[in-house]
Amino acid sequence: MYITCLDLEGVLVPEIWIAFAQASGIPALKKTTRDEPDYDKLMTWRLGVLKEHGLGLKEIQETIAKIDPIPGAKEFLDELRSITQVIIISDTFSQFATPLMKKLGWPTIFCNSLEVAPSGEITGFKMRCEHSKLTTVKALQSIGYETIASGDSYNDLAMIQASKAGFLFKSTDKIKADNPELPAFETYDELMTAIKKAMD
């Protein structure tokens, strides 16, 4: 029994924070988990930037409403879900992800949640569990599933390395160079072929 675990941002949809950095005119917010491996540190810093500029959940959701999946992502996901169970495991937040799940045909997603004040200010964030991607993959394995995983960032490496088969997808040159043992793909066709081969 296989479950394929996919990252969301950078794999199926564009990076939300990069889109928001462009929309808000705050280039600093372009920093993602491709740049900063420590997610808690990254999010705490982001919340500080939002507070400094008086921006909250509403402004980010307005940007997210305009984001479409990466071309080919929904078709890839539809085909993948026809041959195996798929879970998107993301360090994003349910308040960000829901509109994107609608555009992707409502796949299953495990993610985190934001703490939001009545004013709309994002005051904090609640992670589902520690090392959520690795923890989830190990939990799936503990109930009898073989996992196949794919992602693009530092925070995906543990789940990729812990899975029966794991692949980098649309990753950075540095992450690929630092992890030469991991197959790296740029197109959905290549990734689909690799997943099917892993399941044979």
Side-chain angles (χ1 to χ4, degrees):
M1 295 280 285
Y2 286 95
I3 287 190
T4 300
C5 301
L6 299 174
D7 178 37
L8 177 64
E9 293 177 67
V11 173
L12 298 170
V13 302
E15 293 279 352
I16 291 167
W17 287 97
I18 290 176
F20 186 63
Q22 289 162 343
S24 62
I26 306 169
L29 285 173
K30 285 185 177 171
K31 192 189 287 189
T32 71
T33 47
R34 289 173 165 215
D35 314 298
E36 172 53 73
D38 185 332
Y39 191 74
D40 277 6
K41 185 175 164 189
L42 177 63
M43 267 311 295
T44 302
W45 175 81
R46 282 169 171 166
L47 296 190
V49 174
L50 292 177
K51 191 175 177 68
E52 187 187 320
H53 290 271
L55 297 166
L57 180 60
K58 177 174 159 284
E59 288 81 9
I60 300 174
Q61 285 178 329
E62 283 168 0
T63 296
I64 292 169
K66 297 174 191 153
I67 294 176
D68 286 321
I70 294 168
K74 184 174 185 303
E75 293 76 11
F76 163 76
L77 202 51
D78 287 346
E79 185 183 343
L80 188 59
R81 289 165 74 195
S82 76
I83 58 171
T84 182
Q85 297 295 314
V86 179
I87 297 174
I88 297 170
I89 306 176
S90 173
D91 279 339
T92 193
F93 305 95
S94 53
Q95 293 95 330
F96 291 178
T98 302
L100 298 167
M101 293 307 99
K102 184 177 182 182
K103 291 179 181 181
L104 286 169
W106 297 112
T108 299
I109 183 168
F110 291 175
C111 62
N112 306 302
S113 58
L114 292 167
E115 293 164 355
V116 184
S119 65
E121 181 191 342
I122 301 170
T123 55
F125 56 97
K126 191 170 181 344
M127 303 301 279
R128 191 168 48 80
C129 57
E130 209 175 329
H131 308 300
S132 62
K133 298 189 181 198
L134 176 60
T135 304
T136 303
V137 158
K138 289 195 159 176
L140 291 167
Q141 291 165 354
S142 77
I143 55 170
Y145 286 97
E146 296 269 20
T147 58
I148 297 169
S150 184
D152 68 322
S153 295
Y154 285 107
N155 64 339
D156 299 312
L157 292 173
M159 77 166 178
I160 291 170
Q161 289 159 344
S163 291
K164 186 186 179 206
F167 313 107
L168 290 170
F169 187 68
K170 296 184 182 292
S171 192
T172 66
D173 290 341
K174 180 165 184 3
I175 292 173
K176 287 188 276 194
D178 289 348
N179 299 275
E181 76 288 359
L182 296 178
F185 303 116
E186 296 299 319
T187 72
Y188 292 117
D189 286 347
E190 290 171 331
L191 182 57
M192 181 66 75
T193 301
I195 292 171
K196 285 178 175 174
K197 195 171 174 189
M199 290 170 61
D200 281 348

